[in-house]
Amino acid sequence: RALRAAGHRVQRFETHVSWIVVAGDEAWKLKKAVRPGFLDFGTLARRRRACEAELRVNRPFAPQLYLGVVPIAGLPQCPVAGGEGPVLEWALHMRAFPQQARWDRLVHRGGLRRDHIDALACRLAGLHAQAPVAGAAGVRAPVDPVGHAQRQQRATLEALAPLLRDADDRARLARLAQRMRARAPWCAAAGAERFAAGRYRECHGDLHLANLLLLDGQPVLFDAIEFDPGLRWIDTIADLAFASMDLVRHGRADLGRRLVDA
């Protein structure tokens, strides 16, 4: 209401854990005071730290979008972003972008081209090459990221099992679980080998098409995972696989293969 009173056209978007308020070419992302189990935004101090972590994690990917962390201050009846006085809330200050620039929307209207895929491949390879390496001296990374990935996969299948009602789906899940158990020793050895080679790095962790933009003809990655380091410190090929699989899911397996090849 305060932004509208100042003459701005305001949009509000909502996720499970955040609100994003857009006014003109600026946006403010506010954390909800929630504790869903996989994160804790229950206090003002925790929400500030979460905003600061999101800024740190995402600036390497999209410095043009992530501007800073600001207080929402003043009176509750008329709050001001970056204002003086008691802090009502903390917000991640961002540059707004057109929603039609998202790759999940581009792909459905046929606007995603092969040169866009090649540019993403180059951008992602460059980011991975510069990313901190798990296990390197002086790098703070989660312990045993290889084991964490395997445990997470098992936990996902176990959580899915009681939710499936269709017999065919349950049978497919059982076959997948059996295959994963049989492959576990090989996967552990391959993961250890890739860890030793420096392939486990601080990645994006959530690289589906809705977290990719096309701005000024170039791919921009945003909204990397900040709340769980275990989802971010992963094998670089997992970042690549996520984007490739989402292209397949959106009906463009050809572009998914091209991304991996590039």
Side-chain angles (χ1 to χ4, degrees):
R1 288 197 298 268
L3 288 167
R4 289 194 188 101
H8 296 288
R9 177 178 175 271
V10 178
Q11 296 174 283
R12 191 186 75 166
F13 301 92
E14 185 174 359
T15 73
H16 293 302
V17 297
S18 300
W19 288 292
I20 301 95
V21 179
V22 179
D25 64 351
E26 293 183 280
W28 295 269
K29 185 175 183 180
L30 297 92
K31 309 294 186 186
K32 294 179 181 178
V34 293
R35 296 185 179 95
F38 58 91
L39 54 79
D40 184 351
F41 292 163
T43 68
L44 185 63
R46 286 182 180 274
R47 294 194 293 278
R48 178 182 186 176
R49 287 196 296 271
C51 288
E52 291 168 344
E54 188 168 1
L55 178 68
R56 182 193 69 79
V57 167
N58 278 280
R59 260 199 172 152
F61 294 103
Q64 69 272 55
L65 295 183
Y66 290 84
L67 305 179
V69 175
V70 298
I72 308 295
L75 298 174
Q77 296 79 7
C78 190
V80 177
E84 301 291 332
V87 176
L88 305 171
E89 193 53 82
W90 291 93
L92 183 64
H93 187 202
M94 299 181 66
R95 185 75 61 205
F97 55 80
Q99 291 297 302
Q100 61 267 29
R102 284 170 28 187
W103 279 35
D104 60 326
R105 300 193 178 187
L106 275 173
V107 73
H108 283 296
R109 64 174 189 267
L112 208 53
R113 304 194 308 261
R114 288 181 295 179
D115 59 308
H116 298 148
I117 296 297
D118 294 345
L120 174 61
C122 289
R123 175 71 174 145
L124 192 56
L127 287 165
H128 285 164
Q130 297 168 11
V133 179
V139 173
R140 295 181 62 185
V143 176
D144 188 24
V146 181
H148 180 274
Q150 290 194 302
R151 290 190 294 273
Q152 186 183 51
Q153 290 163 5
R154 289 195 296 269
T156 299
L157 296 190
E158 290 168 2
L160 275 174
L163 302 178
L164 297 178
R165 298 290 176 261
D166 184 85
D168 288 341
D169 286 343
R170 291 197 297 271
R172 289 171 64 193
L173 186 69
R175 289 194 299 272
L176 179 60
Q178 184 179 18
R179 183 182 179 189
M180 285 180 62
R181 285 193 296 270
R183 299 280 286 176
W186 181 90
C187 288
E193 183 178 332
R194 288 185 62 79
F195 179 85
R199 302 303 185 188
Y200 276 75
R201 302 188 176 213
E202 189 173 29
C203 297
H204 185 283
D206 201 18
L207 200 56
H208 55 81
L209 299 193
N211 285 343
L212 283 161
L213 302 172
L214 190 68
L215 298 179
D216 300 321
Q218 294 298 314
V220 176
L221 298 66
F222 75 105
D223 207 18
I225 289 181
E226 86 286 349
F227 57 82
D228 185 347
L231 298 177
R232 191 173 70 245
W233 286 87
I234 55 177
D235 193 323
T236 54
I237 205 159
D239 246 9
L240 176 63
F242 202 162
S244 176
M245 289 189 296
D246 209 25
L247 285 164
V248 175
R249 186 176 72 93
H250 283 82
R252 292 305 305 267
D254 59 320
L255 296 182
R257 289 191 298 269
R258 187 181 183 94
L259 178 62
V260 174
D261 289 345

